Amino acid sequence: MARPSLLLMTAAAAGLAVVANASTIASTATQNGASKTRLGSSIDQDIAERDTAAARRKRGLDLREQATKAAQARLQADLEARQKQGQGTAAPGVPGAAAGGVAEAPEAQFDELARIYQAMKPKAAALVFEQLDMEVQMKVAQRMRERSTGMIMAAMTPKGAAALSMALARRSARIAAVTPPPQGGVRARK
């Protein structure tokens, strides 16, 4: 085989030196972080801003969760206190006396829930409203303004809104069947 020429060997050595120098410069630049481009700096800044915004949202959600838990604990304590008060004032041996005291506490609670749902945005209220028991939905909806109830029902799923509408209609029909129509004092004779 023929021996490589001196010129060819010198060119190969120079090429290897260039590659070695370039890799050394690149590794020191990434270690020092001194040669960041504007694009790299912009990306790092955007990532930092998104992390800050995500942390802020997480803090807000944590605060809302804490406030919700505190309100739930207050409502539970209030309910227990009213139940104890109702049991303490019930006459011994009188059936239904304790039930009257216990029935008042939830009624006030439904008024409070109605005010809370009216204050919420309809879309957010609808999400929570549909998770409630149908009896609770009916009692709360009856205590709300018609406009607020309509806006919440519009934001509910069609199935949930239909179920609530049917339950409210059945309840209205039962109430109408139980209460006699006002006819100016005409009563059945004995």
Side-chain angles (χ1 to χ4, degrees):
M1 221 185 211
R3 294 178 92 188
S5 69
L6 184 60
L7 182 63
L8 185 61
M9 286 182 15
T10 307
L16 286 174
V18 167
V19 170
N21 285 339
S23 67
T24 303
I25 291 172
S27 68
T28 58
T30 56
Q31 289 174 357
N32 295 341
S35 67
K36 280 196 173 183
T37 62
R38 279 189 266 162
L39 178 61
S41 298
S42 176
I43 290 172
D44 288 343
Q45 183 180 5
D46 286 346
I47 290 172
E49 288 173 1
R50 286 183 184 172
D51 288 345
T52 303
R56 193 177 313 124
R57 280 193 305 272
K58 186 179 183 317
R59 278 193 306 268
L61 290 173
D62 289 342
L63 289 174
R64 284 183 183 175
E65 182 180 1
Q66 289 173 359
T68 303
K69 286 181 180 178
Q72 189 175 21
R74 271 196 321 268
L75 285 173
Q76 185 65 30
D78 186 41
L79 176 63
E80 290 172 1
R82 289 181 184 210
Q83 286 177 345
K84 287 180 183 177
Q85 180 185 14
Q87 290 172 352
T89 59
V94 178
V102 173
E104 291 176 7
E107 297 303 317
Q109 189 175 15
F110 291 127
D111 291 338
E112 182 66 24
L113 282 173
R115 282 193 297 274
I116 290 170
Y117 282 113
Q118 287 181 129
M120 292 173 69
K121 293 187 186 260
K123 192 172 187 177
L127 288 173
V128 179
F129 208 73
E130 284 191 85
Q131 302 302 317
L132 300 175
D133 182 51
M134 184 53 67
E135 188 67 26
V136 175
Q137 284 185 23
M138 285 180 15
K139 288 183 179 182
V140 172
Q142 289 171 337
R143 286 165 173 77
M144 292 172 56
R145 291 186 303 267
E146 289 178 6
R147 178 174 169 79
S148 298
T149 304
M151 290 171 54
I152 290 173
M153 287 178 70
M156 291 171 68
T157 62
K159 184 177 180 179
L164 179 58
S165 297
M166 292 301 295
L168 288 170
R170 279 191 296 268
R171 170 127 187 189
S172 297
R174 275 185 286 171
I175 291 173
V178 171
T179 58
Q183 294 182 343
V186 177
R187 294 185 183 185
R189 295 184 184 170
K190 293 183 183 181

